[in-house]
Amino acid sequence: MDSGQPNRGWQSASSRSPVAPAKTRLGNLAPLRGGLDSLRVASAALASGVNCIRESGVFFKNKESTDTKSSGNKAVFWGASDRMVCCKGIDCSQNEFNITSHPKLCEGGYVCTLEITVPGEIQGIFVHVFYSGHWSFAVSPSSENSDDMPEWRIERDWGTINPHSETLTIYCPKSARVEVIDRIEGDS
């Protein structure tokens, strides 16, 4: 049964009875109405920004982004089964890092930190690896001296190599190398 009242966003969409005007229920809310309008505008802007970020390939690749370099080596990272972090297309000591045999990898949760470095460059990238039944990655600058990420293109896809893993692709310089480093732990 429809109440005949329009849904104004602040009114419950599932309400079956007419909502009394704000003035009679809580006093005059006119001063707050401008705040609500500002909140709606901010919410719309945030949603628009998230869509722009999502469309630019920051979360998961939907289309090509042209603001970063796609040159260099295409280093690809993914998780396999519940024990291995795999990579290809980049110089490393091995292309599978196994939790059962590598001393710097932990089982489940925050598994490890990989560091991508380039000789002669101060800034590289940390790849933080997580396993919770699904594999996922977080990236951050490796140098504490700068908050800027290297201008290496980063793409994210889901399930392209393994159905339960994110696939992380980083286009890094040809001389880049990846290695497992000690996990970043908080001060205790």
Side-chain angles (χ1 to χ4, degrees):
M1 181 169 140
D2 186 14
S3 69
Q5 295 288 325
N7 182 3
R8 293 183 177 90
W10 45 267
Q11 178 178 323
S12 170
S14 63
S15 175
R16 297 295 180 209
S17 62
V19 174
K23 186 173 183 177
T24 60
R25 287 187 23 187
L26 300 172
N28 188 358
L29 294 179
L32 295 177
R33 200 155 299 201
L36 287 173
D37 290 339
S38 296
L39 183 60
R40 284 188 194 109
V41 168
S43 177
L46 178 61
S48 174
V50 167
N51 287 335
C52 289
I53 290 171
R54 192 176 291 129
E55 289 174 5
S56 71
V58 172
F59 291 129
F60 291 96
K61 184 180 75 170
N62 289 334
K63 63 181 181 181
E64 293 295 317
S65 173
T66 58
D67 58 359
T68 56
K69 301 174 185 174
S70 293
S71 60
N73 285 351
K74 181 179 177 180
V76 182
F77 301 88
W78 70 96
S81 75
D82 61 351
R83 300 236 173 269
M84 290 186 288
V85 180
C86 304
C87 64
K88 68 179 179 181
I90 188 168
D91 183 25
C92 55
S93 59
Q94 55 197 50
N95 63 357
E96 292 180 351
F97 302 103
N98 195 318
I99 290 172
T100 56
S101 61
H102 199 289
K104 293 186 178 183
L105 272 68
C106 295
E107 190 169 340
Y110 182 11
V111 174
C112 70
T113 300
L114 305 174
E115 183 179 24
I116 301 175
T117 57
V118 176
E121 290 189 25
I122 295 172
Q123 190 67 281
I125 292 181
F126 284 148
V127 177
H128 308 278
V129 182
F130 300 92
Y131 181 74
S132 62
H134 294 92
W135 289 96
S136 59
F137 304 93
V139 295
S140 67
S142 64
S143 173
E144 294 179 3
N145 297 326
S146 173
D147 291 334
D148 296 331
M149 289 285 284
E151 291 188 20
W152 307 342
R153 182 185 175 95
I154 297 173
E155 297 175 348
R156 298 169 175 275
D157 291 303
W158 186 261
T160 55
I161 295 177
N162 231 343
H164 63 279
S165 177
E166 177 179 9
T167 304
L168 176 68
T169 304
I170 301 174
Y171 293 85
C172 46
K174 295 184 187 314
S175 59
R177 178 171 175 71
V178 67
E179 64 181 332
V180 180
I181 62 168
D182 292 328
R183 293 181 314 145
I184 309 299
E185 297 289 341
D187 297 332
S188 23

